[in-house]
C-alpha cells in the first residue's frame, strides 16, 4: 500500500461508503484485504469468497450443494496463453452449452484462477462447438425450481459473473450461434461482445416466465440503456449483429466463412481484435482495466480516488521509466 494512500484518509472515507462501493474498491485493491480497512465481517467475507463478490456465504451459498443439486455434466475449460490472453470455453455441446450445476462451480473456480493471474491481460469467453450458451440447463432448472434453491443459484451466479466482469483483464465474449437466457447474461459480464455473422443474442427469460437473475438485466442497462434493455427483455428480441451494433450490445462483427482468406477462425479473429487493446506490459493493461472499472461502477469522487491509487502503481514503474528513457513521440 502506498504511503499517499494511507495519508489521505482513505480508510475513514471508505468506511462511510455504501457496501457496493467498498466491494468494487476491494476488488480493485486486493492488498486492502490484508489491511485493517477491510477488517471485520466485510474483510472476512472477501477473504473467503475472494474480492468483488456481491453476496456472502451467510446467505447459504454452498458450492457442493450447487454442484450436486443442479446436475453434473459439461465443463468450463481455461487455457492461459503466453500472449497474456486466456480463453475460457463453455463446454457442454450436447446441450448447446447449457450451464449445469457443476459448470457453475467450475466457472467460479476458473474465475478464481484468473483473479490470481499476474501476467494476464485479456480474456476471451467462448462456447464450444460454434455456439455460445443456451443458458441454464433446463433439467437443472426443473430440479431446483423451488424458491430457496433458485435464490441460491441466482446469488451464486451473480457473485461469479460480477467477479468475472471485475477481473483486471480486458474481456470479450465471442458469440457464435446462440446466446440465450443465462447465455445472453454471460455475454454482458464481459467488457466487449464480438458477434459472428449468423449469431443471435436473445434474453428469452420472459418466455420462461422469468427475468434475468445472473445480473444480466443490471449490466444490460449499463450497456444499452434502459430503453433498449426494456425492449430486449420485454420483447424477447433477437439481437443479430446488425441490431447489436446499432444498440451498442455488439462491439464488432466477425468475418463469415465466405470472407476472403486470411480472416482466420472466429477465435483467431477475436484474438486479433483484442490484441490491439492489450499491447504492452500486464501491469499497465491491468491498470487500464481498473481505472475504467472504477469509473463504471463507483461514484465519481471514489472513482477519482481509485484512479489516483492505480496511477500510483504505474507512475515511476518499469514501463513508465522505459518510455521516458526512450523519448518516444506519439505520431
Ligand atoms: C437465469 C437463467 C435463465 C435461463 O437461462 S433459462 C434457460 C433459457 N434457455 C432456453 O430456454 C434454451 C432452450 N433451448 C432451445 O431453445 C433450443 O434447444 C436451441 C438452443 C434454440 C437449439 O435448438 P436446436 O438447434 O433446434 O437444437 P435442439 O433443441 O435439438 O437442442 C440440442 C440439444 O440441446 C438440448 N438443450 C438446448 N438447450 C438446453 C438447455 N438450456 N438446457 C438443457 N438442454 C438444452 C436440447 O434439449 C437438445 O437435447 P436432445 O438432443 O433433445 O437430447
Amino acid at each position: 500500500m502506498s504511503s499517499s494512500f494511507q495519508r489521505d484518509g482513505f480508510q475513514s472515507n471508505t468506511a462511510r461508503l455504501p457496501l457496493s462501493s467498498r466491494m468494487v474498491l476491494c476488488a480493485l485493491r486486493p492488498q486492502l484485504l490484508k489491511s485493517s480497512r477491510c477488517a471485520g465481517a466485510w474483510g472476512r467475507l472477501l477473504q473467503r469468497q475472494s474480492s468483488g463478490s456481491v453476496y456472502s456465504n451467510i446467505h447459504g451459498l454452498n458450492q457442493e450443494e450447487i454442484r450436486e443439486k443442479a446436475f453434473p455434466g459439461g465443463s468450463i475449460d481455461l487455457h492461459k496463453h503466453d500472449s497474456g490472453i486466456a480463453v475460457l470455453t463453455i463446454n457442454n455441446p450436447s446441450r448447446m452449452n447449457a450451464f449445469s450445476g457443476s459448470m457453475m462451480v467450475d466457472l467460479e473456480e476458473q474465475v478464481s484462477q484468473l483473479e490470481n493471474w499476474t501476467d494476464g491481460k485479456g480474456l476471451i469467453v467462448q462456447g464450444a462447438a460454434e455456439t455460445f450458451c443456451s443458458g441454464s440447463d433446463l433439467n437443472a432448472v426443473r430440479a431446483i425450481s423451488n424458491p430457496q434453491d433458485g435464490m441460491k443459484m441466482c446469488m451464486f451466479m451473480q457473485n461469479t459473473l460480477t467477479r468475472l466482469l471485475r477481473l483486471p483483464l480486458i474481456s470479450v465474449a465471442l458469440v457464435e450461434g446462440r446466446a440465450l437466457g443465462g447465455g445472453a447474461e454471460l455475454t454482458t459480464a464481459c467488457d466487449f461482445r464480438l458477434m459472428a455473422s449468423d449469431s443471435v443474442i436473445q434474453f428469452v427469460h420472459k418466455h420462461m416466465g422469468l427475468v434475468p437473475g445472473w445480473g444480466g438485466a443490471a449490466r444490460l442497462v449499463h450497456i444499452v440503456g434502459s430503453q433498449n434493455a426494456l425492449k430486449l427483455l420485454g420483447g424477447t428480441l433477437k439481437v443479430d449483429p446488425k441490431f447489436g451494433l446499432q444498440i451498442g450490445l455488439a462491439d464488432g462483427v466477425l468475418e463469415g466463412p465466405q470472407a476472403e482468406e486470411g480472416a482466420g477462425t472466429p477465435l483467431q479473429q477475436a484474438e486479433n481484435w483484442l490484441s490491439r487493446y492489450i499491447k504492452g506490459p500486464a501491469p499497465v493493461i491491468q491498470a487500464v482495466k481498473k481505472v475504467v472499472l472504477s469509473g463504471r461502477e463507483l461514484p465519481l469522487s471514489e472513482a477519482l480516488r481509485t484512479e489516483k491509487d492505480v496511477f500510483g502503481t504505474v507512475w515511476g514503474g518499469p514501463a513508465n521509466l522505459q518510455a521516458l528513457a526512450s523519448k518516444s513521440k506519439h505520431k
Side-chain angles (χ1 to χ4, degrees), residues 25-327:
L25 288 168
C26 287
L28 289 163
R29 301 189 187 91
Q31 70 270 34
L32 281 181
L33 294 174
K34 299 187 190 102
S35 78
S36 59
R37 291 160 197 226
C38 284
W42 169 238
R44 285 196 298 280
L45 155 65
L46 288 178
Q47 275 158 350
R48 202 167 52 236
Q49 288 227 315
S50 191
S51 59
S53 293
V54 179
Y55 305 105
S56 76
N57 278 346
I58 54 172
H59 293 276
L61 302 180
N62 180 321
Q63 287 198 343
E64 284 319 306
E65 204 182 343
I66 290 186
R67 195 188 277 281
E68 281 163 21
K69 268 200 176 175
F71 277 75
S75 61
I76 306 291
D77 307 330
L78 177 63
H79 293 286
K80 293 185 218 160
H81 299 292
D82 291 344
S83 62
I85 296 180
V87 180
L88 191 69
T89 304
I90 318 300
N91 189 359
N92 194 6
S94 66
R95 292 183 177 167
M96 310 295 280
N97 300 326
F99 259 88
S100 65
S102 63
M103 288 165 71
M104 292 178 190
V105 177
D106 280 357
L107 180 64
E108 195 272 343
E109 288 170 357
Q110 303 294 26
V111 169
S112 295
Q113 287 271 327
L114 289 167
E115 283 169 341
N116 294 313
W117 190 29
T118 48
D119 296 332
K121 300 194 280 184
L123 173 68
I124 296 172
V125 179
Q126 65 168 7
E130 296 172 14
T131 192
F132 191 73
C133 170
S134 63
S136 279
D137 183 329
L138 292 173
N139 303 300
V141 170
R142 283 178 201 109
I144 60 163
S145 59
N146 66 79
Q148 294 84 356
D149 285 339
M151 283 302 96
K152 286 180 189 175
M153 187 270 287
C154 162
M155 290 189 290
F156 187 85
M157 286 303 283
Q158 280 195 11
N159 269 356
T160 303
L161 295 187
T162 302
R163 288 168 56 197
L164 176 65
L165 185 59
R166 290 176 179 170
L167 286 171
L169 308 171
I170 299 179
S171 57
V172 179
L174 163 53
V175 184
E176 295 179 87
R178 292 168 194 260
L180 300 183
E185 295 193 60
L186 174 59
T187 71
T188 65
C190 293
D191 298 310
F192 298 108
R193 281 144 296 282
L194 291 180
M195 295 183 73
S197 52
D198 58 351
S199 65
V200 169
I201 300 175
Q202 190 180 11
F203 293 81
V204 296
H205 304 73
K206 194 185 78 171
H207 286 161
M208 304 296 297
L210 293 172
V211 292
W214 296 358
R219 292 187 297 267
L220 186 65
V221 169
H222 279 255
I223 297 166
V224 299
S226 60
Q227 306 295 102
N228 284 320
L230 264 181
K231 289 178 188 166
L232 296 192
L233 299 186
T236 58
L237 303 186
K238 284 186 180 171
V239 182
D240 63 14
K242 188 174 169 212
F243 186 31
L245 286 175
Q246 189 189 321
I247 61 175
L249 186 59
D251 298 282
V253 181
L254 303 181
E255 304 274 5
Q258 72 284 5
E260 283 177 34
E261 265 184 48
T265 65
L267 182 58
Q268 285 165 343
Q269 290 185 53
E271 283 169 345
N272 285 342
W273 188 90
L274 182 56
S275 63
R276 86 191 71 157
Y277 303 112
I278 61 159
K279 280 199 183 83
V284 178
I285 305 305
Q286 293 188 8
V288 167
K289 172 66 184 276
K290 285 175 186 174
V291 291
V292 172
L293 175 64
S294 68
R296 190 159 65 195
E297 294 203 24
L298 294 175
L300 181 62
S301 57
E302 290 315 310
L304 292 173
R305 284 175 179 281
T306 304
E307 186 173 308
K308 172 197 56 116
D309 294 328
V310 176
F311 179 77
T313 67
V314 288
W315 175 264
N320 179 222
L321 294 179
Q322 198 181 350
L324 291 171
S326 70
K327 294 182 189 164

